[in-house]
């Protein structure tokens, strides 16, 4: 099954049953709206724009562009997740702009970025998680430790905001995200690790939970990518990334008795021997950073990345449906298997395929394409339903019980990374493009040529 045919089916189903809604319910064949986006509409359209473009589905891209022009509206009286709106909508609009050159995307990205700025009105400048786009009033998730903001949320704005400053000429966006770094730099890090919770009023850490999966993940990713996207001029981003990775290696990375490397979670000094599907993105991240690693660690980091890819593949291979669980454990006599009912679901997430894609690009070892192909077959067999693709509730069940949601990131990320895994390396080459955490490609901002770099005018 060629990947663009999968995309066509996912897109056509959304178009037919849920056009304009945020997401599709592929079993009940109707629209689905998550409150993460308030009353902003069309998440799937904006998230899918660049995938349509990259797969050369230009008619569909035009249709999506027209919808954005006529219908995408941020003047809504509703509370949104700053992080989700940034990675999916701002990121999606920016990459659609850079790929197509269409002005409407630049304009809409800046408009939305301006709407998000009031989220930074806190005593420390660490933004709120939730923001009412009309009133500009923000707050944090009620469940987050003592009113804290979340590392993976406030730490995953950097790439998009740097581009917003570049495209708008307004330095405010870049200043806001650089200030987040300043606040973090002033704080003590327990064993060099970054707790997931930070109070935006006091500037102090909340509970000492550390994770390279949910609540922490893309913060680390954006340190590395900030450096890469700056054409390797952001030395601070570089240092913060490699120092954090060293702390992760020392305190969280472990090998099971069966020889599987995993990244555990840390709760108040104790290790929880659990890895999330979300954590599996780390294989790709470590591979992407390996080339610039200090102290001759390139080979070592490539090995770590390959080992994580293998562990994550095992988490798929050890299920009945050959799709990965949301979380898997390395305790109580099991390895890479979910033991709790609420960790057995699969919601079309991309992280494992993302890691295969990076590993393929860096090694050309055919096993990564083989593993990607296994995932394609499982998606076709168990997730494809009459009205699109659906997640499943239990990957260990003998037949799939569908959750009836086609997540927008399935089109933005899972299908894009699959497509790139089976494409030549000159599709979106890493020298020129950096992927935001929702797989939206953003161009490297080339450094000004210095006098010595400049070609000799006389020659
Ligand atoms: C996406 O929205 C992004 O990849 C994010 O970083 C994590 N969660 C989903 C996909 O699993």
């Amino acid at each position: 099954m060629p990947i663009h045919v999968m995309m066509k089916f996912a897109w056509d189903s959304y178009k037919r049953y849920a056009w304009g809604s945020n997401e599709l319910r592929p079993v009940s064949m109707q629209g689905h709206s998550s409150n993460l986006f308030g009353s902003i509409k069309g998440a799937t359209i904006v998230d899918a724009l660049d995938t349509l473009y990259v797969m050369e589905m230009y008619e569909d891209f035009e249709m999506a562009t027209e919808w954005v022009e006529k219908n995408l509206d941020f003047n809504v009286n509703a509370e949104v997740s700053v992080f989700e709106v940034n990675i999916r909508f701002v990121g999606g609009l920016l990459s659609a702009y850079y790929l197509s050159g269409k002005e409407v995307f630049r304009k809409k990205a800046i408009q939305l970025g301006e709407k998000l700025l009031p989220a930074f009105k806190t005593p420390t400048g660490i933004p709120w998680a939730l923001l009412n786009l009309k009133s500009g009033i923000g707050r944090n998730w009620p469940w987050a430790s003592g009113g804290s903001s979340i590392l993976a949320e406030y730490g995953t704005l950097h790439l998009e905001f740097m581009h917003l400053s570049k495209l708008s000429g307004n330095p405010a966006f870049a200043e806001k995200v650089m200030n987040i770094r300043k606040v973090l730099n002033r704080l003590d890090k327990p064993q060099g690790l970054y707790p997931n919770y930070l109070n935006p009023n006091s500037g102090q850490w909340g509970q000492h939970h550390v994770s390279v999966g949910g609540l922490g993940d893309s913060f680390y990713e954006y340190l590395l990518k900030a450096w890469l996207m700056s054409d390797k001029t952001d030395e601070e981003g570089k240092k913060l990334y490699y120092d954090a990775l060293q702390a992760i290696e020392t305190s969280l990375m472990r090998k099971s008795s069966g020889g599987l490397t995993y990244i555990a979670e840390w709760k108040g000094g104790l290790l929880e021997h659990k890895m999330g599907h979300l954590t599996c993105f780390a294989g790709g991240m470590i591979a992407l950073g390996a080339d610039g690693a200090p102290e001759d660690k390139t080979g070592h980091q490539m090995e770590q990345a390959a080992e994580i890819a293998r562990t994550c593949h095992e988490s798929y291979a050890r299920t009945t449906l050959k799709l990965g669980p949301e979380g898997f454990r390395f305790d109580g006599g099991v390895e890479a298997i979910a033991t709790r009912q609420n960790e057995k679901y699969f919601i079309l997430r991309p992280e494992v395929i993302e890691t295969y894609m990076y590993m393929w690009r860096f090694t050309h070892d055919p096993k990564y394409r083989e593993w990607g192909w296994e995932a394609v077959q499982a998606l076709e067999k168990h997730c494809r339903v009459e009205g699109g693709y659906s997640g499943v509730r239990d990957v260990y069940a003998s037949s799939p019980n569908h959750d009836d949601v086609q997540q927008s990131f399935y089109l933005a990320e899972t299908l894009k990374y699959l497509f790139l895994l089976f494409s030549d390396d000159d599709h979106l080459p890493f020298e020129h493009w950096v992927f935001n955490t929702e797989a939206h490609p953003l161009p490297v901002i080339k450094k000004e040529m210095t006098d010595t770099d400049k070609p000799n005018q006389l020659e």
Side-chain angles (χ1 to χ4, degrees):
M1 168 71 59
I3 310 301
H4 70 268
V5 177
M6 295 173 77
M7 178 65 184
K8 185 78 184 142
F9 180 63
W11 175 255
D12 283 349
S13 304
Y14 167 80
K15 223 160 67 179
R16 178 181 303 174
Y17 303 117
W19 186 247
S21 300
N22 280 320
E23 289 174 320
L24 162 69
R25 287 202 176 277
V27 177
S28 46
M29 296 186 249
Q30 56 181 341
H32 165 61
S33 273
S34 139
N35 53 8
L36 293 173
F37 314 117
S39 44
I40 301 183
K41 299 225 172 338
T44 294
I45 300 179
V46 179
D47 238 3
L49 278 165
D50 52 13
T51 308
L52 294 170
Y53 197 91
V54 169
M55 294 189 188
E56 300 181 9
M57 294 165 64
Y58 296 126
E59 268 178 36
D60 292 302
F61 181 81
E62 285 310 320
M63 186 180 175
T65 305
E66 205 183 305
W67 186 89
V68 168
E69 266 161 355
K70 295 202 178 126
N71 301 292
L72 186 59
D73 182 15
F74 310 121
N75 292 314
V76 290
N77 182 5
E79 195 175 54
V80 301
S81 154
V82 174
F83 161 77
E84 296 288 355
V85 164
N86 176 60
I87 65 170
R88 302 193 202 208
F89 284 86
V90 178
L93 291 166
L94 287 172
S95 59
Y97 171 67
Y98 283 114
L99 289 169
S100 71
K102 286 188 195 286
E103 181 60 16
V104 56
F105 298 125
R106 191 185 74 94
K107 235 179 56 199
K108 294 265 180 189
I110 295 169
Q111 268 172 16
L112 178 54
E114 284 166 353
K115 285 260 170 201
L116 294 180
L117 285 175
F120 294 82
K121 273 195 228 144
T122 64
T124 54
I126 294 292
W128 299 113
L130 298 163
L131 178 73
N132 181 300
L133 289 186
K134 180 145 193 247
S135 66
I137 294 175
R139 67 180 176 117
N140 275 340
W141 298 106
W143 49 263
S145 170
S148 290
S149 301
I150 308 281
L151 182 68
E153 297 199 326
Y154 67 77
T156 310
L157 304 166
H158 196 101
L159 304 181
E160 296 80 2
F161 275 52
M162 295 308 276
H163 270 289
L164 286 175
S165 274
K166 180 175 146 56
L167 290 181
S168 65
N170 175 359
F173 299 104
E175 284 163 14
K176 300 286 181 221
V177 289
M178 290 312 289
N179 174 61
I180 295 177
R181 284 232 190 124
K182 267 197 216 139
V183 175
L184 289 177
N185 283 344
R186 283 199 293 264
L187 282 164
D188 278 340
K189 325 280 174 307
Q191 299 181 37
L193 298 167
Y194 291 79
N196 291 336
Y197 299 108
L198 176 62
N199 190 304
N201 291 316
S202 64
Q204 297 303 314
W205 300 121
Q207 271 171 335
H208 279 195
H209 288 184
V210 178
S211 167
V212 184
L215 308 184
D217 48 10
S218 39
F219 162 71
Y220 304 98
E221 174 185 354
Y222 272 35
L223 293 177
L224 170 65
K225 291 181 176 176
W227 174 56
L228 297 175
M229 198 181 82
S230 71
D231 207 7
K232 304 192 175 171
T233 59
D234 179 357
E235 290 291 331
E236 184 184 51
K238 177 183 185 186
K239 179 168 171 18
L240 292 172
Y241 170 71
Y242 289 108
D243 286 353
L245 185 59
Q246 183 55 56
I248 289 167
E249 177 178 348
T250 309
S251 299
L252 306 181
M253 237 185 246
R254 294 291 178 268
K255 197 172 252 195
S256 70
S257 48
L260 295 178
T261 298
Y262 61 97
I263 307 179
E265 313 223 334
W266 196 74
K267 292 199 171 157
L270 291 179
L271 274 193
E272 194 179 10
H273 297 271
K274 162 198 164 179
M275 185 160 169
H277 193 289
L278 290 165
T279 322
C280 287
F281 88 99
M285 174 183 76
I286 295 171
L288 179 64
D291 188 36
E295 301 162 28
D296 288 341
K297 287 212 172 130
T298 302
H300 172 65
Q301 292 192 1
M302 276 312 292
E303 269 167 43
Q304 274 178 341
E307 285 179 22
I308 289 166
R310 185 163 77 92
T311 300
C312 292
H313 173 254
E314 285 302 314
S315 79
Y316 276 51
R318 295 178 187 194
T319 69
T320 319
L321 302 185
K322 306 299 166 205
L323 295 164
E326 179 69 4
F328 43 96
R329 299 197 172 246
F330 296 84
D331 56 17
V334 304
E335 299 204 349
I337 289 179
T339 50
R340 303 185 184 186
Q341 199 51 41
N342 65 0
E343 292 174 346
K344 294 184 178 172
Y345 63 88
F346 170 72
I347 54 169
L348 305 172
R349 286 198 193 278
E351 293 76 17
V352 175
I353 288 163
E354 173 180 354
T355 282
Y356 296 163
M357 190 279 293
Y358 280 101
M359 292 308 296
W360 164 257
R361 283 257 176 122
F362 289 118
T363 66
H364 289 144
D365 184 332
K367 77 177 175 217
Y368 297 112
R369 282 190 165 172
E370 285 158 23
W371 292 353
W373 196 245
E374 290 168 13
V376 167
Q377 285 171 306
L379 287 166
E380 286 301 299
K381 193 161 167 202
H382 302 302
C383 298
R384 189 183 174 122
V385 294
E386 195 189 331
Y389 290 89
S390 167
V392 299
R393 293 208 163 89
D394 182 351
V395 290
Y396 303 95
S398 51
S399 62
N401 181 356
H402 295 114
D403 68 6
D404 200 12
V405 183
Q406 179 176 281
Q407 305 278 345
S408 78
F409 52 67
Y410 183 62
L411 293 89
E413 297 194 72
T414 313
L415 292 175
K416 188 186 288 123
Y417 285 137
L418 274 174
F419 182 77
L420 294 176
L421 172 64
F422 294 107
S423 301
D424 293 339
D425 297 354
D426 57 6
H427 280 74
L428 300 174
F430 296 160
E431 307 89 82
H432 299 302
W433 299 93
V434 166
F435 292 88
N436 92 336
T437 195
E438 188 80 0
H440 296 306
L442 301 173
V444 170
I445 302 174
K446 293 286 172 199
K447 62 179 166 225
E448 294 288 312
M449 277 196 288
T450 62
D451 281 345
T452 45
D453 289 337
K454 278 184 190 153
N456 188 334
Q457 309 271 311
L458 295 172
E459 275 174 11

